[in-house]
Amino acid sequence: MSMIYSVSFSKPASTVEEILGKPYKKIKIRLDTASSLEAKYFCEMFTEKQVFHKKMTEAEVAGFIENHAGITFKNAVLRTDEKEITYLANKKGKITKLEKKLKTENSPKSSGFGGSVTERLLSAGKKKNYLIREGNPVPFLVMTGVMTAEGKVISSKYDKFRQINRFLEFINDVLPEVMKNKKDGEPVRIADFGCGKSYLTFAVHYLLSEIRKVPCEIEGLDLKKDVIDYCNKIASDLKLEGIRFSTGDISEYSGEKAPDIVITLHACDTATDFALKYAVSKNAKAILSVPCCQHEVNTQLQKKENSVKDDALFPLLKWGIIREKFSSLVTDVLRGEYLENQGYSVQMLEFIDMEHTPKNILIRAVKRKNEIEKDSGKNVLADALGVNPEILKKD
């Protein structure tokens, strides 16, 4: 079978709960192209009021399709890079399989690039004026398996390459403001919270030290010691200066020197709030945050569900999946307002396409003045919803 890009299951059979353990109404599985792990598919499983997430390998997805398409779910639509396959089951259980070939760029009606979807993306990417360009081997990208030794982007890593460049654009845009009033030779200091395998941390170091020729001091922080050891080994092997990695909890971090830029990417739940508060307390000149897993407000709103049935708010709370999305938006709005109240100009930007990750909002904040506005700690939205998230709590 060709590469599976997505598959959706609907119209569950009466046996779905018996077979899968829960009364799922629909299931969506898609390729997570930003993942570097073996489990590179993201699965969402929907009941009437809840949604469950899990990671799956390609073999698990293929097995799930074989066991459930047209059987547990009477309708399933599978999409690959070559065709769309629809499985339909009638009342007697007979399964019909319909295939539709997808148009490719080298079809007679097209004048674009030929080849697979990934190859066409690679071809298009060569035309884009990326800060890191293909064809020039970048040591950290070679060592982490994104590039070959010749500087060619490995096709399965192209989305990671695109993500890195997209993030560097955000950093590059705020550098002029960050560099204001910097003395010659004074380094730009950056704290990267929840750095993980540090593709972006190394990328920022490369942007500053190799492309912009700006001295920098970068520290990556993560809870996982094995990940930090891995990152420190790469830095050591490449003999990189001005970059180090530490094991630690964001909520307890106190850093030796105040950072100019604070980065927090996919720090789970309130870890993002602790990072934002730290950045504000240190008067950071710029903040770039991609929040993740906003459970706190969702939990608080879930407790209110039974007490607001006569309230206009109730329709936003009664379905779990809607409440979850609503809570995520509310959380990020409150974070944005908090930063504005602390003297920052705030933008909400799209990091990467929704098809690659459901966590695609990037909060970019740049300090606009030295003094901090009076913040009463109250928030009209939070008060109206009856929630008290970490970002609004006084330390």
Side-chain angles (χ1 to χ4, degrees), residues 126-155:
K126 291 175 184 176
K127 290 185 172 183
K128 185 170 177 64
N129 189 25
Y130 283 142
L131 286 163
I132 295 179
R133 300 183 184 182
E134 186 174 10
N136 177 35
V138 176
F140 86 89
L141 290 177
V142 174
M143 185 166 284
T144 54
V146 176
M147 273 185 175
T148 66
E150 294 74 34
K152 179 177 174 59
V153 177
I154 296 170
S155 60

Side-chain angles (χ1 to χ4, degrees), residues 14-49:
S14 59
T15 55
V16 65
E17 184 171 7
E18 178 184 344
I19 295 172
L20 294 177
K22 292 185 184 296
Y24 295 117
K25 299 296 183 181
K26 62 180 178 179
I27 293 176
K28 294 181 179 181
I29 304 172
R30 57 174 173 73
L31 181 65
D32 181 4
T33 50
S35 174
S36 60
L37 305 176
E38 181 185 359
K40 59 182 180 180
Y41 285 86
F42 182 77
C43 176
E44 295 179 291
M45 311 173 80
F46 301 85
T47 64
E48 187 70 42
K49 292 189 176 182

Side-chain angles (χ1 to χ4, degrees), residues 73-290:
F73 291 87
K74 296 177 183 179
N75 192 325
V77 179
L78 167 67
R79 190 181 181 89
T80 74
D81 56 347
E82 296 178 349
K83 54 190 173 182
E84 184 177 277
I85 304 171
T86 302
Y87 298 85
L88 299 170
N90 62 20
K91 292 181 180 180
K92 295 182 179 180
K94 181 182 177 181
I95 300 173
T96 301
K97 184 177 176 182
L98 306 174
E99 295 190 13
K100 180 175 72 175
K101 190 172 182 180
L102 299 176
K103 290 181 180 180
T104 59
E105 298 289 347
N106 58 349
S107 64
K109 295 182 179 179
S110 172
S111 58
F113 295 103
S116 68
V117 170
T118 301
E119 288 168 342
R120 296 199 303 276
L121 286 171
L122 283 166
S123 297
K126 291 175 184 176
K127 290 185 172 183
K128 185 170 177 64
N129 189 25
Y130 283 142
L131 286 163
I132 295 179
R133 300 183 184 182
E134 186 174 10
N136 177 35
V138 176
F140 86 89
L141 290 177
V142 174
M143 185 166 284
T144 54
V146 176
M147 273 185 175
T148 66
E150 294 74 34
K152 179 177 174 59
V153 177
I154 296 170
S155 60
S156 62
K157 294 289 186 177
Y158 180 74
D159 286 294
K160 176 62 70 178
F161 178 71
R162 188 168 69 92
Q163 180 195 56
I164 288 169
N165 273 290
R166 178 65 170 148
F167 187 72
L168 291 186
E169 290 173 8
F170 290 126
I171 292 285
N172 199 49
D173 286 346
V174 301
L175 272 182
E177 195 66 29
V178 171
M179 296 295 294
K180 277 184 181 179
N181 303 320
K182 278 278 183 187
K183 297 176 182 177
D184 288 344
E186 185 182 359
V188 173
R189 297 187 177 92
I190 299 176
D192 184 357
F193 294 126
C195 61
K197 290 187 176 180
S198 299
Y199 290 96
L200 299 181
T201 323
F202 286 115
V204 172
H205 181 271
Y206 184 82
L207 169 68
L208 293 172
S209 60
E210 298 297 327
I211 298 176
R212 297 295 300 270
K213 304 299 181 183
V214 173
C216 62
E217 293 177 1
I218 302 179
E219 180 175 12
L221 186 78
D222 201 276
L223 287 169
K224 299 177 182 177
K225 185 178 183 303
D226 58 334
V227 171
I228 291 301
D229 290 343
Y230 165 81
C231 295
N232 276 320
K233 185 177 187 308
I234 291 178
S236 176
D237 289 348
L238 294 177
K239 296 180 171 55
L240 300 179
E241 296 182 359
I243 186 168
R244 66 187 179 116
F245 299 90
S246 305
T247 305
D249 191 320
I250 296 172
S251 65
E252 299 172 356
Y253 182 78
S254 58
E256 297 176 9
K257 298 178 181 178
D260 297 298
I261 301 174
V262 169
I263 298 169
T264 166
L265 299 175
H266 298 151
C268 191
D269 201 17
T270 55
T272 294
D273 301 310
F274 288 118
L276 297 181
K277 286 183 174 182
Y278 172 82
V280 168
S281 72
K282 296 298 182 180
N283 208 31
K285 295 178 181 176
I287 303 166
L288 290 96
S289 175
V290 180

